[in-house]
Amino acid sequence: MKKDEPPLDFPDTLEGFEYAFNEKGQLRHIKTGEPFVFNYREDLHRWNQKRYEALGEIITKYVYELLEKDCNLKKITIPEGYGVIVLNPNENYIEVEKPKMHVQSTSDSADEPAEKRERKDKVLKETKKRRDFYEKYRNPQREKEMMQLYIRENGSPEEHAVYVWDHFIAQSAAENVFFVAHSYGGLAFVELMIQREADVKSKVTAVALTDSVHNVWHQEAGKTIREWMRENCCNWVSSSEPLDTSVESMLPDCPRVSASGAARPAATRRSQRTQPEEL
């Protein structure tokens, strides 16, 4: 952290960030009308990244609300007892506070001279003080030590995609299923295709990918999967070209087209138009 870095204290609403979605579903600054700018403050990459993540959390909630309200989707926890929403394939763990470690005295500590025990205690306290100061300096927002508790059968986005398919989508009455997958979600979808190819083909009508990081070669997707993706998938990627302009791809799978610098809103608009029965 730089000495002159501002506090990592950000608004918790779109209005607080002075952003809003317009009638076209595009995120724009309410005063200037400009798209989101990542480098809000020069030479403060870490602060800009944290600001981006804070805004992303708000947009995630906004998209969930759209999916529930406009697409008639439901929030479901998996497995029972875990507060994880199946709409987000990246929420594969919950954060819990780490139990505090207590330093226990050794068996012979009672036999030590009082002066020696006092010196030891002083050293331990100073060491903890320095460590706490370092942690606070490194991350001033960090108030508690957290640990990740991975969810059974959902320990990775790939596992999660298969779990949701087996327990919800495959068992639903929906005949025309539409997927919207962003970034790593595209990789998770291709893995789902590899593991459940026939089932996916029988229920899924179309897939909208946004800046997907899948790779059919590295994931060893077969010829029949690549052919299906060419016919049923489209990947909207960040580009300065006009919306839906064809973008060259090095991979023999699905078409790539420009999202005109706004991959997420473009995909969101399409998901609203198609009115998917399941996601």
Side-chain angles (χ1 to χ4, degrees):
M1 183 181 77
K2 293 186 177 182
K3 270 188 175 182
D4 57 349
E5 183 181 70
L8 301 177
D9 185 19
F10 303 107
D12 56 6
T13 64
L14 275 179
E15 294 78 10
F17 274 98
E18 298 187 331
Y19 279 102
F21 287 99
N22 61 21
E23 67 279 357
K24 296 181 179 180
Q26 299 168 323
L27 185 69
R28 294 292 183 265
H29 195 278
I30 59 178
K31 293 181 179 178
T32 66
E34 294 295 317
F36 173 76
V37 176
F38 180 85
N39 290 316
Y40 189 77
R41 298 200 178 191
E42 293 295 331
D43 300 324
L44 290 176
H45 178 79
R46 178 175 176 272
W47 188 90
N48 288 327
Q49 178 66 28
K50 293 296 183 181
R51 174 177 175 268
Y52 165 78
E53 292 171 2
L55 180 60
E57 289 294 324
I58 297 171
I59 294 175
T60 296
K61 293 178 183 178
Y62 175 83
V63 172
Y64 282 168
E65 291 171 1
L66 286 179
L67 291 171
E68 288 185 276
K69 182 175 67 175
D70 295 350
C71 302
N72 298 318
L73 297 180
K74 295 180 180 179
K75 290 182 181 179
I76 303 174
T77 57
I78 52 139
E80 291 72 20
Y82 289 94
V84 179
I85 302 170
V86 300
L87 298 176
N88 187 349
N90 293 310
E91 289 187 355
N92 59 325
Y93 62 84
I94 57 175
E95 284 195 336
V96 297
E97 188 174 353
K98 268 188 177 180
K100 292 184 178 180
M101 302 297 290
H102 297 285
V103 178
Q104 296 183 350
S105 300
T106 57
S107 58
D108 60 343
S109 62
D111 299 329
E112 290 180 346
E115 186 179 346
K116 186 175 181 181
R117 287 202 305 271
E118 288 176 4
R119 283 201 303 268
K120 273 188 176 181
D121 291 341
K122 186 176 180 180
V123 169
L124 287 172
K125 287 178 182 178
E126 287 296 324
T127 301
K128 183 179 184 303
K129 186 177 179 180
R130 286 194 297 270
R131 185 172 62 246
D132 291 346
F133 175 80
Y134 170 76
E135 287 295 336
K136 189 70 175 176
Y137 180 80
R138 187 175 63 86
N139 186 356
Q141 293 296 95
R142 187 175 185 174
E143 299 296 336
K144 296 179 180 178
E145 187 77 14
M146 305 299 288
M147 62 183 291
Q148 294 178 350
L149 179 63
Y150 285 90
I151 300 168
R152 61 182 184 274
E153 300 183 70
N154 289 265
S156 69
E158 296 93 327
E159 284 185 9
H160 179 80
V162 174
Y163 181 96
V164 172
W165 179 270
D166 290 344
H167 290 79
F168 300 102
I169 302 177
Q171 297 180 25
S172 74
E175 296 179 355
N176 297 301
V177 177
F178 295 80
F179 270 77
V180 178
H182 174 64
S183 189
Y184 200 90
L187 186 150
F189 174 78
V190 172
E191 184 62 27
L192 173 65
M193 281 285 299
I194 293 171
Q195 296 196 37
R196 302 288 188 273
E197 180 177 353
D199 293 340
V200 170
K201 287 180 177 179
S202 69
K203 290 182 80 76
V204 176
T205 300
V207 181
L209 305 171
T210 62
D211 278 330
S212 174
V213 298
H214 72 276
N215 187 305
V216 291
W217 292 139
H218 293 166
Q219 294 181 258
E220 298 183 355
K223 180 181 178 181
T224 54
I225 291 177
R226 299 196 301 272
E227 290 174 346
W228 186 91
M229 290 182 67
R230 277 196 290 271
E231 296 296 324
N232 299 278
C233 301
C234 185
N235 188 12
W236 278 266
V237 298
S238 298
S239 169
S240 59
E241 296 295 322
L243 180 65
D244 291 333
T245 301
S246 180
V247 177
E248 186 177 358
S249 173
M250 300 295 292
L251 296 174
D253 47 29
C254 59
R256 284 161 45 101
V257 297
S258 171
S260 188
R264 295 180 197 180
T268 302
R269 291 197 297 276
R270 280 162 183 75
S271 70
Q272 291 173 7
R273 292 194 197 111
T274 53
Q275 291 291 309
E277 295 173 275
E278 296 284 346
L279 183 65

